[in-house]
Amino acid sequence: MDELKQKFSEKSSALRNKLRSLVREQGGTKMDEVTLGQMYGGMRGVKSMIWETSNLDAQEGIKFRGYNIPQLRDLLPKLNGSDEPLPEGLFWLMLVGEIPTEDQVSWLAAEWAGRSKVPDHTFKVLDNLPVETHPMTQFVVGINSMQTESVFAKRYFEGLSKHDFWDACYEDTMNLIARLPQLAAYIYRRSFHNGDHIAPDSSLDWGANFAHMLGIEGDDFRDFLRLYLTIHADHEGGNASAHTTHLVGSTLSDAYNSMSAGMNALAGPLHGLANQEVIKWIFEMLESLDTQSPSKEQIADFVRQTLDAGKVIPGYGHAVLRQPDPRFTAQQRFAQRNLQDSDIVNVVWKLFDVVPPILDSLGKVKNPWPNVDAHSGAILVHYGLKEFKYYTVLFGVSRALGVLSALCWSRAIGFPLERPKSVTSEWIFSQFAN
Ligand code: CMX
C-alpha cells in the first residue's frame, strides 16, 4: 500500500472509531436550530453536514485543515524558483491532514502522471458532440464517460465489503484527478484550437502539465495555474458543487458519477460559471464605453446600469463570506507582482474600489466584496486564455481535489444515504394557525 493510502487508512479508521462511540453516546445532543427564514432562504448557515477537508469562516475565508491561504503559501512545497504552492501538496493536506514534504509531493506528482491515461472512448464521445457545446457540458460528459474505469463500481458489483469502500474510492479519486488535466485540455483544444492537441509531458507536475497541454507556455502562467488550482480546490461542504458531489456520493455512486453531478452544479451562473460571467460583463463594459481603460466614474455608471437592468454584478457577493475573499486577494497579490501594467487587470482593481460602496448602498446585499471569480478571468486573458466559456472547467479541475478527498472521507467514515425531511408550504402555514 502506498504511503498516502496507508496514512489515510490509519487516520480515517481512528476517526471512524471515535465518531462511532461519540454518536452512540451523544447522538441526541442538539447541535443547531432551523428558522423559517433559513428554510425559505437556501438553508444558509444551517449546520447539517460534516466536511473534514476545509472550513469557511465568514471573516477570515477558507481554511484548509486549519491553514489559511497565506499560511499555505509559506508551508506547502513549491518547485525550485516558484513562488506558488503545488496543488499536489494541498490534496495531501486535505486527505490526511498533514503538510507534506517535498519528497511526498514529488511522489504524488509522479503517481498522478502514471495514472493519467484517459480512455480512448472518452475522446470519441467528446468528438461526437457539436464543437460549440459548452465546455462545462463537455467536461461533465467526459467525466461520466470515464466511469467505465471505476474501481469502486467494478468491485461493488463483485461484492465489495463496506469496510473496503474507502479503498476503492481512494483508487477512483487518484485516477480521476490524474486524468482531469488531459480531459480538460482536450476540451479546450477541440473547442478553440481546431482540435490541434498537445501530448502530455509526464515529467511535469500536475499543474504545469495542464498548462503545457492547454498550449500556454511560460513559467509565469504555470505558476498562476498552480495557484489557481490550489485556491479553488475546496470551500467547505455546503457550496453547491461540493454538496451535490456529497449527496450523490451518499447513494454509493462512484467518484466519476458523483463528481460529474457536482460539476453540473458548478456550471450555474450563481456558482462557478460566475468566472465566465465576470469577464464577459467586463468585455461588454469596455465595448460599450469604447475604451480599454475606463475611469472609475464610467465604471460606476455601468455598474448602476447593470443593476437597473435587474442583473447581479458577477464576481461580487457571497453566501457565507463577509469580507473580500482571500482567494481574490491571493490572485491580486500575484497580479501585483507580475501584471502591474495589464489594462484588463487594472479594470478589475478599479472595480474593487467602485463596486462595494454601490452594492452597500442597495441596503440588501449582505456581502458587497469580491469573491474568487472577480479576478481570475483578467489574469487568464492577459496570458492569452481569452475564451471565457472555458473558465469554469479550470475551476472544476481544481474543485476535484476538494470534493474527491472529501468523498474518500465520507466512504471511510461510513456516512449513510443522505435523506433530509422536506415539508410543504401548507404544513408551514399550519404551524402558524391558531
Ligand atoms: N449584485 C447584485 N445584487 C446582489 C449581489 C450582486 N453581486 N449579491 C447579492 N445581491 C442581491 C441578491 O440578488 C439578493 O437580492 P434579492 O433580495 O432582490 O433577491 C440580495 O442581494 C441578498 O442576497 P445575499 O443574501 O447578499 O446573497 P445570497 O447569499 O442570496 O447570494 C450570491 C450569494 C453569490 C449568489 C450572490 O452574491 C450573487 O448572485 N453574486 C453574483 C454571482 C457570483 O459572483 N457568484 C459566484 C459566487 C462564488 C461561488 O460560489 O462560486
Side-chain angles (χ1 to χ4, degrees):
M1 191 181 290
D2 69 61
E3 184 192 1
L4 181 61
K5 193 174 186 180
Q6 182 69 38
K7 276 180 184 290
F8 177 63
S9 167
E10 288 164 11
K11 298 204 170 210
S12 59
S13 67
L15 181 65
R16 184 178 58 238
N17 294 337
K18 208 168 154 189
L19 286 173
R20 203 164 281 167
S21 42
L22 183 71
V23 174
R24 198 171 43 236
E25 288 156 23
Q26 302 288 347
T29 308
K30 203 176 198 178
M31 304 303 287
D32 205 0
E33 290 179 338
V34 183
T35 64
L36 179 66
Q38 286 173 313
M39 290 177 79
Y40 280 96
M43 297 189 280
R44 296 289 187 284
V46 179
K47 293 188 189 72
S48 59
M49 66 187 293
I50 309 292
W51 197 260
E52 303 295 346
T53 48
S54 68
N55 189 49
L56 181 57
D57 182 277
Q59 305 301 325
E60 283 189 66
I62 189 65
K63 287 190 170 178
F64 301 89
R65 296 280 185 182
Y67 298 104
N68 64 28
I69 288 176
Q71 288 168 330
L72 288 181
R73 191 184 309 107
D74 289 341
L75 294 171
L76 287 179
K78 307 175 185 71
L79 276 192
N80 277 346
S82 166
D83 199 43
E84 303 299 341
L86 287 158
E88 287 90 332
L90 180 67
F91 177 76
W92 186 290
L93 173 67
M94 286 192 290
L95 194 69
V96 296
E98 291 174 11
I99 300 280
T101 64
E102 282 181 22
D103 282 351
Q104 287 166 332
V105 160
S106 304
W107 170 83
L108 187 53
E111 181 69 17
W112 284 350
R115 291 173 180 252
S116 65
K117 187 172 169 12
V118 173
D120 288 342
H121 67 257
T122 292
F123 300 128
K124 288 190 190 133
V125 167
L126 292 174
D127 287 342
N128 276 297
L129 292 174
V131 75
E132 63 278 8
T133 306
H134 193 283
M136 272 309 274
T137 308
Q138 297 189 53
F139 192 51
V140 167
V141 169
I143 293 168
N144 254 155
S145 78
M146 293 196 289
Q147 193 270 348
T148 49
E149 315 300 296
S150 171
V151 174
F152 186 96
K154 180 170 177 293
R155 287 174 62 188
Y156 190 87
F157 185 74
E158 291 165 358
L160 184 67
S161 157
K162 66 180 179 185
H163 302 297
D164 294 328
F165 285 174
W166 71 270
D167 183 307
C169 187
Y170 173 88
E171 293 302 325
D172 277 352
T173 291
M174 294 286 277
N175 290 338
L176 178 49
I177 291 174
R179 290 166 182 161
L180 287 177
Q182 196 179 0
L183 170 69
Y186 191 90
I187 293 166
Y188 177 67
R189 302 292 301 181
R190 125 169 242 270
S191 299
F192 305 111
H193 290 271
N194 301 319
D196 179 13
H197 298 291
I198 298 170
D201 178 347
S202 60
S203 69
L204 296 172
D205 55 275
W206 191 67
N209 193 23
F210 187 16
H212 160 72
M213 288 186 284
L214 288 170
I216 302 176
E217 295 298 345
D219 289 342
D220 281 2
F221 182 69
R222 287 181 182 184
D223 248 1
F224 177 64
L225 200 55
R226 291 186 191 108
L227 171 69
Y228 184 104
L229 294 170
T230 300
I231 61 178
H232 287 75
D234 208 24
H235 222 219
E236 73 173 31
N239 70 80
S241 52
H243 193 180
T244 307
T245 307
H246 175 78
L247 170 65
V248 175
S250 83
T251 70
L252 296 186
S253 253
D254 56 65
Y256 295 85
N257 282 336
S258 304
M259 186 187 151
S260 64
M263 292 303 99
N264 278 312
L266 194 70
L270 295 188
H271 191 18
L273 205 79
N275 60 8
Q276 97 164 33
E277 295 299 304
V278 169
I279 207 74
K280 175 171 167 275
W281 176 75
I282 290 177
F283 283 152
E284 282 164 8
M285 172 170 71
L286 298 180
E287 195 182 321
S288 113
L289 299 174
D290 197 21
T291 170
Q292 295 305 304
S293 41
S295 68
K296 288 186 186 175
E297 291 69 30
Q298 287 176 302
I299 291 177
D301 284 345
F302 193 81
V303 168
R304 289 194 194 94
Q305 276 174 38
T306 303
L307 293 169
D308 290 346
K311 299 185 211 162
V312 294
I313 306 302
Y316 281 76
H318 199 273
V320 180
L321 280 169
R322 295 296 176 257
Q323 290 289 335
D325 190 335
R327 301 171 300 172
F328 173 91
T329 315
Q331 295 175 82
Q332 187 182 35
R333 175 188 167 278
F334 178 94
Q336 280 163 345
R337 287 158 41 101
N338 299 295
L339 311 172
Q340 279 282 353
D341 300 328
S342 161
D343 278 343
I344 189 94
V345 166
N346 274 286
V347 171
V348 168
W349 294 347
K350 282 182 194 165
L351 281 164
F352 187 18
D353 289 336
V354 168
V355 173
I358 297 179
L359 289 183
D360 236 356
S361 72
L362 300 179
K364 64 174 183 178
V365 181
K366 295 193 190 68
N367 176 40
W369 300 109
N371 59 54
V372 66
D373 297 318
H375 211 312
S376 51
I379 301 179
L380 292 167
V381 167
H382 175 87
Y383 285 121
L385 210 162
K386 299 189 168 114
E387 301 89 353
F388 53 76
K389 282 191 176 172
Y390 184 72
Y391 290 176
T392 314
V393 175
L394 296 175
F395 194 157
V397 173
S398 172
R399 188 46 60 101
L401 301 176
V403 299
L404 294 179
S405 52
L407 192 69
C408 289
W409 277 92
S410 298
R411 291 293 74 78
I413 290 172
F415 281 140
L417 176 70
E418 204 169 89
R419 203 334 182 161
K421 173 77 185 132
S422 66
V423 295
T424 61
S425 290
E426 193 181 357
W427 180 87
I428 294 285
F429 285 124
S430 73
Q431 302 305 299
F432 295 95
N434 43 19

